[in-house]
PDB file of all heavy atoms in Angstrom:
ATOM      1  N   LEU D   1    -137.937  72.106 -51.545  1.00 90.00           N
ATOM      2  CA  LEU D   1    -136.814  72.872 -52.092  1.00 90.00           C
ATOM      3  C   LEU D   1    -135.654  72.921 -51.097  1.00 90.00           C
ATOM      4  O   LEU D   1    -134.723  73.703 -51.255  1.00 90.00           O
ATOM      5  CB  LEU D   1    -137.250  74.298 -52.442  1.00 90.00           C
ATOM      6  CG  LEU D   1    -138.453  74.417 -53.388  1.00 90.00           C
ATOM      7  CD1 LEU D   1    -138.757  75.881 -53.666  1.00 90.00           C
ATOM      8  CD2 LEU D   1    -138.183  73.680 -54.693  1.00 90.00           C
ATOM      9  N   LYS D   2    -135.729  72.096 -50.071  1.00 86.00           N
ATOM     10  CA  LYS D   2    -134.675  71.994 -49.049  1.00 86.00           C
ATOM     11  C   LYS D   2    -134.327  73.361 -48.469  1.00 86.00           C
ATOM     12  O   LYS D   2    -133.167  73.774 -48.448  1.00 86.00           O
ATOM     13  CB  LYS D   2    -133.429  71.311 -49.623  1.00 86.00           C
ATOM     14  CG  LYS D   2    -132.462  70.799 -48.553  1.00 86.00           C
ATOM     15  CD  LYS D   2    -131.357  69.976 -49.168  1.00 86.00           C
ATOM     16  CE  LYS D   2    -130.342  69.571 -48.112  1.00 86.00           C
ATOM     17  NZ  LYS D   2    -130.940  68.723 -47.059  1.00 86.00           N
ATOM     18  N   GLY D   3    -135.366  74.058 -48.021  1.00 80.00           N
ATOM     19  CA  GLY D   3    -135.153  75.357 -47.410  1.00 80.00           C
ATOM     20  C   GLY D   3    -134.608  76.399 -48.359  1.00 80.00           C
ATOM     21  O   GLY D   3    -134.003  77.382 -47.937  1.00 80.00           O
ATOM     22  N   GLY D   4    -134.829  76.201 -49.665  1.00 82.00           N
ATOM     23  CA  GLY D   4    -134.371  77.157 -50.665  1.00 82.00           C
ATOM     24  C   GLY D   4    -133.046  76.794 -51.305  1.00 82.00           C
ATOM     25  O   GLY D   4    -132.635  77.409 -52.294  1.00 82.00           O
ATOM     26  N   ILE D   5    -132.362  75.772 -50.774  1.00 84.00           N
ATOM     27  CA  ILE D   5    -131.068  75.366 -51.325  1.00 84.00           C
ATOM     28  C   ILE D   5    -131.210  74.883 -52.763  1.00 84.00           C
ATOM     29  O   ILE D   5    -130.321  75.090 -53.598  1.00 84.00           O
ATOM     30  CB  ILE D   5    -130.419  74.273 -50.447  1.00 84.00           C
ATOM     31  CG1 ILE D   5    -130.007  74.869 -49.099  1.00 84.00           C
ATOM     32  CG2 ILE D   5    -129.207  73.644 -51.139  1.00 84.00           C
ATOM     33  CD1 ILE D   5    -129.472  73.859 -48.117  1.00 84.00           C
ATOM     34  N   LEU D   6    -132.341  74.247 -53.080  1.00 88.00           N
ATOM     35  CA  LEU D   6    -132.559  73.715 -54.430  1.00 88.00           C
ATOM     36  C   LEU D   6    -133.285  74.711 -55.322  1.00 88.00           C
ATOM     37  O   LEU D   6    -133.754  74.351 -56.406  1.00 88.00           O
ATOM     38  CB  LEU D   6    -133.351  72.404 -54.360  1.00 88.00           C
ATOM     39  CG  LEU D   6    -132.750  71.314 -53.471  1.00 88.00           C
ATOM     40  CD1 LEU D   6    -133.606  70.059 -53.520  1.00 88.00           C
ATOM     41  CD2 LEU D   6    -131.317  71.004 -53.873  1.00 88.00           C
ATOM     42  N   ALA D   7    -133.390  75.944 -54.877  1.00 85.00           N
ATOM     43  CA  ALA D   7    -134.036  76.999 -55.670  1.00 85.00           C
ATOM     44  C   ALA D   7    -133.084  78.174 -55.792  1.00 85.00           C
ATOM     45  O   ALA D   7    -132.088  78.268 -55.091  1.00 85.00           O
ATOM     46  CB  ALA D   7    -135.339  77.437 -55.008  1.00 85.00           C
ATOM     47  N   GLY D   8    -133.405  79.085 -56.667  1.00 78.00           N
ATOM     48  CA  GLY D   8    -132.570  80.276 -56.803  1.00 78.00           C
ATOM     49  C   GLY D   8    -131.218  79.946 -57.383  1.00 78.00           C
ATOM     50  O   GLY D   8    -131.060  79.088 -58.247  1.00 78.00           O
ATOM     51  N   LYS D   9    -130.198  80.609 -56.868  1.00 81.00           N
ATOM     52  CA  LYS D   9    -128.843  80.416 -57.376  1.00 81.00           C
ATOM     53  C   LYS D   9    -128.335  79.021 -57.061  1.00 81.00           C
ATOM     54  O   LYS D   9    -128.535  78.502 -55.971  1.00 81.00           O
ATOM     55  CB  LYS D   9    -127.904  81.460 -56.762  1.00 81.00           C
ATOM     56  CG  LYS D   9    -126.516  81.450 -57.365  1.00 81.00           C
ATOM     57  CD  LYS D   9    -125.647  82.548 -56.761  1.00 81.00           C
ATOM     58  CE  LYS D   9    -124.247  82.529 -57.371  1.00 81.00           C
ATOM     59  NZ  LYS D   9    -123.372  83.551 -56.769  1.00 81.00           N
ATOM     60  N   MET D  10    -127.675  78.415 -58.048  1.00 85.00           N
ATOM     61  CA  MET D  10    -127.132  77.066 -57.908  1.00 85.00           C
ATOM     62  C   MET D  10    -125.651  77.097 -58.281  1.00 85.00           C
ATOM     63  O   MET D  10    -125.174  78.041 -58.920  1.00 85.00           O
ATOM     64  CB  MET D  10    -127.876  76.100 -58.830  1.00 85.00           C
ATOM     65  CG  MET D  10    -129.367  75.989 -58.579  1.00 85.00           C
ATOM     66  SD  MET D  10    -129.748  74.930 -57.172  1.00 85.00           S
ATOM     67  CE  MET D  10    -129.547  73.312 -57.906  1.00 85.00           C
ATOM     68  N   PRO D  11    -124.894  76.059 -57.909  1.00 86.00           N
ATOM     69  CA  PRO D  11    -123.519  75.967 -58.399  1.00 86.00           C
ATOM     70  C   PRO D  11    -123.497  76.027 -59.927  1.00 86.00           C
ATOM     71  O   PRO D  11    -124.415  75.527 -60.578  1.00 86.00           O
ATOM     72  CB  PRO D  11    -123.061  74.598 -57.878  1.00 86.00           C
ATOM     73  CG  PRO D  11    -123.906  74.352 -56.678  1.00 86.00           C
ATOM     74  CD  PRO D  11    -125.239  74.960 -57.002  1.00 86.00           C
ATOM     75  N   GLU D  12    -122.463  76.623 -60.484  1.00 88.00           N
ATOM     76  CA  GLU D  12    -122.395  76.807 -61.934  1.00 88.00           C
ATOM     77  C   GLU D  12    -122.568  75.498 -62.697  1.00 88.00           C
ATOM     78  O   GLU D  12    -123.261  75.452 -63.722  1.00 88.00           O
ATOM     79  CB  GLU D  12    -121.065  77.461 -62.320  1.00 88.00           C
ATOM     80  CG  GLU D  12    -120.958  78.919 -61.903  1.00 88.00           C
ATOM     81  CD  GLU D  12    -119.672  79.555 -62.388  1.00 88.00           C
ATOM     82  OE1 GLU D  12    -118.977  78.940 -63.218  1.00 88.00           O
ATOM     83  OE2 GLU D  12    -119.360  80.665 -61.939  1.00 88.00           O
ATOM     84  N   ASP D  13    -121.928  74.431 -62.234  1.00 91.00           N
ATOM     85  CA  ASP D  13    -122.037  73.137 -62.923  1.00 91.00           C
ATOM     86  C   ASP D  13    -123.481  72.648 -62.953  1.00 91.00           C
ATOM     87  O   ASP D  13    -123.942  72.102 -63.962  1.00 91.00           O
ATOM     88  CB  ASP D  13    -121.155  72.091 -62.236  1.00 91.00           C
ATOM     89  CG  ASP D  13    -119.669  72.370 -62.429  1.00 91.00           C
ATOM     90  OD1 ASP D  13    -119.339  73.226 -63.267  1.00 91.00           O
ATOM     91  OD2 ASP D  13    -118.851  71.724 -61.741  1.00 91.00           O
ATOM     92  N   ALA D  14    -124.194  72.852 -61.841  1.00 91.00           N
ATOM     93  CA  ALA D  14    -125.591  72.420 -61.768  1.00 91.00           C
ATOM     94  C   ALA D  14    -126.461  73.238 -62.708  1.00 91.00           C
ATOM     95  O   ALA D  14    -127.332  72.698 -63.408  1.00 91.00           O
ATOM     96  CB  ALA D  14    -126.096  72.542 -60.335  1.00 91.00           C
ATOM     97  N   GLU D  15    -126.244  74.549 -62.742  1.00 92.00           N
ATOM     98  CA  GLU D  15    -127.024  75.413 -63.635  1.00 92.00           C
ATOM     99  C   GLU D  15    -126.823  75.022 -65.092  1.00 92.00           C
ATOM    100  O   GLU D  15    -127.773  75.011 -65.886  1.00 92.00           O
ATOM    101  CB  GLU D  15    -126.631  76.877 -63.413  1.00 92.00           C
ATOM    102  CG  GLU D  15    -127.126  77.450 -62.096  1.00 92.00           C
ATOM    103  CD  GLU D  15    -126.812  78.931 -61.960  1.00 92.00           C
ATOM    104  OE1 GLU D  15    -126.054  79.454 -62.801  1.00 92.00           O
ATOM    105  OE2 GLU D  15    -127.333  79.553 -61.019  1.00 92.00           O
ATOM    106  N   GLU D  16    -125.592  74.694 -65.452  1.00 94.00           N
ATOM    107  CA  GLU D  16    -125.301  74.313 -66.837  1.00 94.00           C
ATOM    108  C   GLU D  16    -126.018  73.020 -67.219  1.00 94.00           C
ATOM    109  O   GLU D  16    -126.499  72.872 -68.339  1.00 94.00           O
ATOM    110  CB  GLU D  16    -123.798  74.150 -67.036  1.00 94.00           C
ATOM    111  CG  GLU D  16    -123.041  75.465 -67.091  1.00 94.00           C
ATOM    112  CD  GLU D  16    -123.536  76.363 -68.220  1.00 94.00           C
ATOM    113  OE1 GLU D  16    -123.730  75.857 -69.332  1.00 94.00           O
ATOM    114  OE2 GLU D  16    -123.755  77.574 -67.961  1.00 94.00           O
ATOM    115  N   ILE D  17    -126.082  72.083 -66.286  1.00 95.00           N
ATOM    116  CA  ILE D  17    -126.768  70.810 -66.556  1.00 95.00           C
ATOM    117  C   ILE D  17    -128.256  71.043 -66.797  1.00 95.00           C
ATOM    118  O   ILE D  17    -128.838  70.497 -67.744  1.00 95.00           O
ATOM    119  CB  ILE D  17    -126.556  69.823 -65.387  1.00 95.00           C
ATOM    120  CG1 ILE D  17    -125.086  69.410 -65.309  1.00 95.00           C
ATOM    121  CG2 ILE D  17    -127.444  68.588 -65.550  1.00 95.00           C
ATOM    122  CD1 ILE D  17    -124.731  68.647 -64.047  1.00 95.00           C
ATOM    123  N   PHE D  18    -128.878  71.867 -65.949  1.00 94.00           N
ATOM    124  CA  PHE D  18    -130.298  72.177 -66.136  1.00 94.00           C
ATOM    125  C   PHE D  18    -130.531  72.889 -67.465  1.00 94.00           C
ATOM    126  O   PHE D  18    -131.456  72.543 -68.218  1.00 94.00           O
ATOM    127  CB  PHE D  18    -130.798  73.055 -64.988  1.00 94.00           C
ATOM    128  CG  PHE D  18    -131.201  72.291 -63.743  1.00 94.00           C
ATOM    129  CD1 PHE D  18    -131.017  72.848 -62.473  1.00 94.00           C
ATOM    130  CD2 PHE D  18    -131.782  71.037 -63.828  1.00 94.00           C
ATOM    131  CE1 PHE D  18    -131.398  72.168 -61.339  1.00 94.00           C
ATOM    132  CE2 PHE D  18    -132.161  70.339 -62.691  1.00 94.00           C
ATOM    133  CZ  PHE D  18    -131.967  70.902 -61.444  1.00 94.00           C
ATOM    134  N   LYS D  19    -129.709  73.890 -67.758  1.00 94.00           N
ATOM    135  CA  LYS D  19    -129.897  74.682 -68.977  1.00 94.00           C
ATOM    136  C   LYS D  19    -129.741  73.838 -70.233  1.00 94.00           C
ATOM    137  O   LYS D  19    -130.414  74.055 -71.246  1.00 94.00           O
ATOM    138  CB  LYS D  19    -128.908  75.844 -69.001  1.00 94.00           C
ATOM    139  CG  LYS D  19    -129.239  76.958 -68.015  1.00 94.00           C
ATOM    140  CD  LYS D  19    -128.192  78.058 -68.070  1.00 94.00           C
ATOM    141  CE  LYS D  19    -128.511  79.165 -67.074  1.00 94.00           C
ATOM    142  NZ  LYS D  19    -127.463  80.224 -67.086  1.00 94.00           N
ATOM    143  N   LYS D  20    -128.838  72.881 -70.192  1.00 94.00           N
ATOM    144  CA  LYS D  20    -128.592  72.037 -71.357  1.00 94.00           C
ATOM    145  C   LYS D  20    -129.828  71.238 -71.732  1.00 94.00           C
ATOM    146  O   LYS D  20    -130.115  71.013 -72.905  1.00 94.00           O
ATOM    147  CB  LYS D  20    -127.420  71.097 -71.077  1.00 94.00           C
ATOM    148  CG  LYS D  20    -126.980  70.272 -72.284  1.00 94.00           C
ATOM    149  CD  LYS D  20    -125.759  69.441 -71.949  1.00 94.00           C
ATOM    150  CE  LYS D  20    -125.325  68.606 -73.162  1.00 94.00           C
ATOM    151  NZ  LYS D  20    -124.132  67.785 -72.857  1.00 94.00           N
ATOM    152  N   THR D  21    -130.596  70.819 -70.731  1.00 94.00           N
ATOM    153  CA  THR D  21    -131.821  70.045 -70.988  1.00 94.00           C
ATOM    154  C   THR D  21    -133.001  70.944 -71.279  1.00 94.00           C
ATOM    155  O   THR D  21    -133.782  70.694 -72.194  1.00 94.00           O
ATOM    156  CB  THR D  21    -132.141  69.138 -69.775  1.00 94.00           C
ATOM    157  OG1 THR D  21    -131.043  68.254 -69.554  1.00 94.00           O
ATOM    158  CG2 THR D  21    -133.412  68.325 -70.033  1.00 94.00           C
ATOM    159  N   ASP D  22    -133.175  72.019 -70.487  1.00 94.00           N
ATOM    160  CA  ASP D  22    -134.285  72.949 -70.700  1.00 94.00           C
ATOM    161  C   ASP D  22    -133.937  74.293 -70.072  1.00 94.00           C
ATOM    162  O   ASP D  22    -133.993  74.453 -68.854  1.00 94.00           O
ATOM    163  CB  ASP D  22    -135.574  72.395 -70.082  1.00 94.00           C
ATOM    164  CG  ASP D  22    -136.807  73.199 -70.451  1.00 94.00           C
ATOM    165  OD1 ASP D  22    -136.643  74.367 -70.862  1.00 94.00           O
ATOM    166  OD2 ASP D  22    -137.929  72.680 -70.333  1.00 94.00           O
ATOM    167  N   SER D  23    -133.580  75.255 -70.895  1.00 91.00           N
ATOM    168  CA  SER D  23    -133.149  76.558 -70.407  1.00 91.00           C
ATOM    169  C   SER D  23    -134.295  77.432 -69.910  1.00 91.00           C
ATOM    170  O   SER D  23    -134.075  78.490 -69.330  1.00 91.00           O
ATOM    171  CB  SER D  23    -132.397  77.313 -71.508  1.00 91.00           C
ATOM    172  OG  SER D  23    -133.251  77.518 -72.633  1.00 91.00           O
ATOM    173  N   THR D  24    -135.540  76.988 -70.110  1.00 93.00           N
ATOM    174  CA  THR D  24    -136.690  77.806 -69.715  1.00 93.00           C
ATOM    175  C   THR D  24    -137.119  77.559 -68.274  1.00 93.00           C
ATOM    176  O   THR D  24    -137.886  78.342 -67.717  1.00 93.00           O
ATOM    177  CB  THR D  24    -137.894  77.539 -70.637  1.00 93.00           C
ATOM    178  OG1 THR D  24    -138.358  76.190 -70.448  1.00 93.00           O
ATOM    179  CG2 THR D  24    -137.514  77.740 -72.099  1.00 93.00           C
ATOM    180  N   LYS D  25    -136.655  76.484 -67.669  1.00 93.00           N
ATOM    181  CA  LYS D  25    -137.098  76.136 -66.316  1.00 93.00           C
ATOM    182  C   LYS D  25    -136.075  76.571 -65.276  1.00 93.00           C
ATOM    183  O   LYS D  25    -134.870  76.400 -65.454  1.00 93.00           O
ATOM    184  CB  LYS D  25    -137.338  74.628 -66.208  1.00 93.00           C
ATOM    185  CG  LYS D  25    -138.542  74.125 -67.001  1.00 93.00           C
ATOM    186  CD  LYS D  25    -138.762  72.642 -66.750  1.00 93.00           C
ATOM    187  CE  LYS D  25    -140.020  72.151 -67.456  1.00 93.00           C
ATOM    188  NZ  LYS D  25    -139.890  72.236 -68.916  1.00 93.00           N
ATOM    189  N   SER D  26    -136.569  77.110 -64.169  1.00 93.00           N
ATOM    190  CA  SER D  26    -135.709  77.516 -63.067  1.00 93.00           C
ATOM    191  C   SER D  26    -135.364  76.301 -62.202  1.00 93.00           C
ATOM    192  O   SER D  26    -135.982  75.238 -62.301  1.00 93.00           O
ATOM    193  CB  SER D  26    -136.414  78.560 -62.207  1.00 93.00           C
ATOM    194  OG  SER D  26    -137.519  77.977 -61.520  1.00 93.00           O
ATOM    195  N   ALA D  27    -134.381  76.481 -61.336  1.00 93.00           N
ATOM    196  CA  ALA D  27    -133.998  75.405 -60.420  1.00 93.00           C
ATOM    197  C   ALA D  27    -135.169  75.004 -59.531  1.00 93.00           C
ATOM    198  O   ALA D  27    -135.384  73.814 -59.245  1.00 93.00           O
ATOM    199  CB  ALA D  27    -132.809  75.851 -59.568  1.00 93.00           C
ATOM    200  N   ALA D  28    -135.940  75.998 -59.088  1.00 93.00           N
ATOM    201  CA  ALA D  28    -137.100  75.715 -58.237  1.00 93.00           C
ATOM    202  C   ALA D  28    -138.140  74.875 -58.986  1.00 93.00           C
ATOM    203  O   ALA D  28    -138.748  73.959 -58.419  1.00 93.00           O
ATOM    204  CB  ALA D  28    -137.730  77.015 -57.754  1.00 93.00           C
ATOM    205  N   GLN D  29    -138.352  75.178 -60.250  1.00 95.00           N
ATOM    206  CA  GLN D  29    -139.317  74.421 -61.049  1.00 95.00           C
ATOM    207  C   GLN D  29    -138.880  72.972 -61.215  1.00 95.00           C
ATOM    208  O   GLN D  29    -139.686  72.050 -61.132  1.00 95.00           O
ATOM    209  CB  GLN D  29    -139.502  75.089 -62.407  1.00 95.00           C
ATOM    210  CG  GLN D  29    -140.282  76.389 -62.349  1.00 95.00           C
ATOM    211  CD  GLN D  29    -140.320  77.105 -63.691  1.00 95.00           C
ATOM    212  OE1 GLN D  29    -139.303  77.249 -64.368  1.00 95.00           O
ATOM    213  NE2 GLN D  29    -141.499  77.546 -64.085  1.00 95.00           N
ATOM    214  N   TRP D  30    -137.595  72.776 -61.465  1.00 96.00           N
ATOM    215  CA  TRP D  30    -137.075  71.410 -61.583  1.00 96.00           C
ATOM    216  C   TRP D  30    -137.320  70.628 -60.290  1.00 96.00           C
ATOM    217  O   TRP D  30    -137.770  69.478 -60.324  1.00 96.00           O
ATOM    218  CB  TRP D  30    -135.582  71.447 -61.886  1.00 96.00           C
ATOM    219  CG  TRP D  30    -135.220  71.625 -63.330  1.00 96.00           C
ATOM    220  CD1 TRP D  30    -134.824  72.775 -63.950  1.00 96.00           C
ATOM    221  CD2 TRP D  30    -135.224  70.611 -64.348  1.00 96.00           C
ATOM    222  NE1 TRP D  30    -134.580  72.542 -65.284  1.00 96.00           N
ATOM    223  CE2 TRP D  30    -134.817  71.228 -65.562  1.00 96.00           C
ATOM    224  CE3 TRP D  30    -135.532  69.253 -64.359  1.00 96.00           C
ATOM    225  CZ2 TRP D  30    -134.694  70.524 -66.761  1.00 96.00           C
ATOM    226  CZ3 TRP D  30    -135.419  68.544 -65.551  1.00 96.00           C
ATOM    227  CH2 TRP D  30    -135.001  69.178 -66.734  1.00 96.00           C
ATOM    228  N   ALA D  31    -137.003  71.252 -59.159  1.00 95.00           N
ATOM    229  CA  ALA D  31    -137.131  70.567 -57.872  1.00 95.00           C
ATOM    230  C   ALA D  31    -138.579  70.225 -57.549  1.00 95.00           C
ATOM    231  O   ALA D  31    -138.894  69.117 -57.088  1.00 95.00           O
ATOM    232  CB  ALA D  31    -136.532  71.433 -56.765  1.00 95.00           C
ATOM    233  N   LEU D  32    -139.476  71.171 -57.797  1.00 96.00           N
ATOM    234  CA  LEU D  32    -140.887  70.945 -57.489  1.00 96.00           C
ATOM    235  C   LEU D  32    -141.491  69.909 -58.424  1.00 96.00           C
ATOM    236  O   LEU D  32    -142.281  69.049 -57.998  1.00 96.00           O
ATOM    237  CB  LEU D  32    -141.653  72.266 -57.591  1.00 96.00           C
ATOM    238  CG  LEU D  32    -143.035  72.329 -56.940  1.00 96.00           C
ATOM    239  CD1 LEU D  32    -142.965  71.945 -55.471  1.00 96.00           C
ATOM    240  CD2 LEU D  32    -143.615  73.729 -57.080  1.00 96.00           C
ATOM    241  N   ARG D  33    -141.125  69.955 -59.696  1.00 97.00           N
ATOM    242  CA  ARG D  33    -141.624  68.966 -60.661  1.00 97.00           C
ATOM    243  C   ARG D  33    -141.184  67.560 -60.259  1.00 97.00           C
ATOM    244  O   ARG D  33    -141.952  66.599 -60.384  1.00 97.00           O
ATOM    245  CB  ARG D  33    -141.103  69.274 -62.069  1.00 97.00           C
ATOM    246  CG  ARG D  33    -141.773  70.467 -62.728  1.00 97.00           C
ATOM    247  CD  ARG D  33    -141.208  70.700 -64.117  1.00 97.00           C
ATOM    248  NE  ARG D  33    -141.598  69.639 -65.037  1.00 97.00           N
ATOM    249  CZ  ARG D  33    -140.739  68.955 -65.798  1.00 97.00           C
ATOM    250  NH1 ARG D  33    -139.447  69.190 -65.723  1.00 97.00           N
ATOM    251  NH2 ARG D  33    -141.179  68.016 -66.614  1.00 97.00           N
ATOM    252  N   TRP D  34    -139.956  67.447 -59.785  1.00 97.00           N
ATOM    253  CA  TRP D  34    -139.442  66.131 -59.400  1.00 97.00           C
ATOM    254  C   TRP D  34    -140.287  65.519 -58.287  1.00 97.00           C
ATOM    255  O   TRP D  34    -140.594  64.325 -58.317  1.00 97.00           O
ATOM    256  CB  TRP D  34    -137.984  66.262 -58.951  1.00 97.00           C
ATOM    257  CG  TRP D  34    -137.322  64.947 -58.679  1.00 97.00           C
ATOM    258  CD1 TRP D  34    -136.627  64.160 -59.562  1.00 97.00           C
ATOM    259  CD2 TRP D  34    -137.315  64.254 -57.428  1.00 97.00           C
ATOM    260  NE1 TRP D  34    -136.188  63.020 -58.936  1.00 97.00           N
ATOM    261  CE2 TRP D  34    -136.597  63.048 -57.619  1.00 97.00           C
ATOM    262  CE3 TRP D  34    -137.834  64.528 -56.171  1.00 97.00           C
ATOM    263  CZ2 TRP D  34    -136.380  62.127 -56.599  1.00 97.00           C
ATOM    264  CZ3 TRP D  34    -137.631  63.605 -55.154  1.00 97.00           C
ATOM    265  CH2 TRP D  34    -136.910  62.428 -55.366  1.00 97.00           C
ATOM    266  N   VAL D  35    -140.666  66.323 -57.308  1.00 97.00           N
ATOM    267  CA  VAL D  35    -141.482  65.809 -56.201  1.00 97.00           C
ATOM    268  C   VAL D  35    -142.888  65.443 -56.689  1.00 97.00           C
ATOM    269  O   VAL D  35    -143.407  64.362 -56.387  1.00 97.00           O
ATOM    270  CB  VAL D  35    -141.567  66.839 -55.056  1.00 97.00           C
ATOM    271  CG1 VAL D  35    -142.486  66.325 -53.951  1.00 97.00           C
ATOM    272  CG2 VAL D  35    -140.182  67.128 -54.494  1.00 97.00           C
ATOM    273  N   LEU D  36    -143.506  66.335 -57.448  1.00 97.00           N
ATOM    274  CA  LEU D  36    -144.876  66.106 -57.921  1.00 97.00           C
ATOM    275  C   LEU D  36    -144.956  64.969 -58.935  1.00 97.00           C
ATOM    276  O   LEU D  36    -146.035  64.431 -59.186  1.00 97.00           O
ATOM    277  CB  LEU D  36    -145.431  67.391 -58.540  1.00 97.00           C
ATOM    278  CG  LEU D  36    -145.751  68.514 -57.553  1.00 97.00           C
ATOM    279  CD1 LEU D  36    -146.023  69.825 -58.292  1.00 97.00           C
ATOM    280  CD2 LEU D  36    -146.946  68.140 -56.685  1.00 97.00           C
ATOM    281  N   ASN D  37    -143.836  64.605 -59.500  1.00 97.00           N
ATOM    282  CA  ASN D  37    -143.808  63.498 -60.451  1.00 97.00           C
ATOM    283  C   ASN D  37    -144.103  62.161 -59.773  1.00 97.00           C
ATOM    284  O   ASN D  37    -144.533  61.209 -60.417  1.00 97.00           O
ATOM    285  CB  ASN D  37    -142.434  63.451 -61.123  1.00 97.00           C
ATOM    286  CG  ASN D  37    -142.354  62.443 -62.255  1.00 97.00           C
ATOM    287  OD1 ASN D  37    -143.015  62.584 -63.278  1.00 97.00           O
ATOM    288  ND2 ASN D  37    -141.542  61.416 -62.067  1.00 97.00           N
ATOM    289  N   ASN D  38    -143.883  62.102 -58.455  1.00 96.00           N
ATOM    290  CA  ASN D  38    -144.126  60.871 -57.696  1.00 96.00           C
ATOM    291  C   ASN D  38    -145.637  60.669 -57.515  1.00 96.00           C
ATOM    292  O   ASN D  38    -146.318  61.495 -56.910  1.00 96.00           O
ATOM    293  CB  ASN D  38    -143.435  60.962 -56.333  1.00 96.00           C
ATOM    294  CG  ASN D  38    -143.466  59.653 -55.564  1.00 96.00           C
ATOM    295  OD1 ASN D  38    -144.448  58.919 -55.596  1.00 96.00           O
ATOM    296  ND2 ASN D  38    -142.385  59.368 -54.856  1.00 96.00           N
ATOM    297  N   ARG D  39    -146.133  59.563 -58.012  1.00 96.00           N
ATOM    298  CA  ARG D  39    -147.580  59.300 -57.981  1.00 96.00           C
ATOM    299  C   ARG D  39    -148.125  59.120 -56.575  1.00 96.00           C
ATOM    300  O   ARG D  39    -149.350  59.195 -56.352  1.00 96.00           O
ATOM    301  CB  ARG D  39    -147.885  58.045 -58.795  1.00 96.00           C
ATOM    302  CG  ARG D  39    -147.225  56.779 -58.243  1.00 96.00           C
ATOM    303  CD  ARG D  39    -147.469  55.579 -59.110  1.00 96.00           C
ATOM    304  NE  ARG D  39    -146.785  54.396 -58.578  1.00 96.00           N
ATOM    305  CZ  ARG D  39    -146.815  53.193 -59.152  1.00 96.00           C
ATOM    306  NH1 ARG D  39    -147.499  53.038 -60.279  1.00 96.00           N
ATOM    307  NH2 ARG D  39    -146.180  52.179 -58.620  1.00 96.00           N
ATOM    308  N   ASN D  40    -147.247  58.873 -55.599  1.00 97.00           N
ATOM    309  CA  ASN D  40    -147.704  58.638 -54.227  1.00 97.00           C
ATOM    310  C   ASN D  40    -147.857  59.905 -53.401  1.00 97.00           C
ATOM    311  O   ASN D  40    -148.390  59.856 -52.288  1.00 97.00           O
ATOM    312  CB  ASN D  40    -146.731  57.695 -53.510  1.00 97.00           C
ATOM    313  CG  ASN D  40    -146.700  56.312 -54.133  1.00 97.00           C
ATOM    314  OD1 ASN D  40    -147.736  55.749 -54.474  1.00 97.00           O
ATOM    315  ND2 ASN D  40    -145.498  55.759 -54.294  1.00 97.00           N
ATOM    316  N   ILE D  41    -147.400  61.022 -53.932  1.00 97.00           N
ATOM    317  CA  ILE D  41    -147.458  62.273 -53.180  1.00 97.00           C
ATOM    318  C   ILE D  41    -148.835  62.919 -53.319  1.00 97.00           C
ATOM    319  O   ILE D  41    -149.325  63.127 -54.427  1.00 97.00           O
ATOM    320  CB  ILE D  41    -146.369  63.255 -53.668  1.00 97.00           C
ATOM    321  CG1 ILE D  41    -144.985  62.623 -53.538  1.00 97.00           C
ATOM    322  CG2 ILE D  41    -146.460  64.565 -52.904  1.00 97.00           C
ATOM    323  CD1 ILE D  41    -144.638  62.132 -52.154  1.00 97.00           C
ATOM    324  N   SER D  42    -149.443  63.252 -52.196  1.00 98.00           N
ATOM    325  CA  SER D  42    -150.774  63.878 -52.193  1.00 98.00           C
ATOM    326  C   SER D  42    -150.687  65.386 -52.319  1.00 98.00           C
ATOM    327  O   SER D  42    -151.439  66.012 -53.074  1.00 98.00           O
ATOM    328  CB  SER D  42    -151.532  63.527 -50.909  1.00 98.00           C
ATOM    329  OG  SER D  42    -151.573  62.136 -50.699  1.00 98.00           O
TER     330      SER D  42
END
């Protein structure tokens, strides 16, 4: 989560982009899902 930068409050433009795709997921959830999506990560 880059020390929390990719979690919690985000720039308004970024929040709108996330909400447009899925308003139920938080910024932290998006960031963590992105990492775990990589099949090489243990």
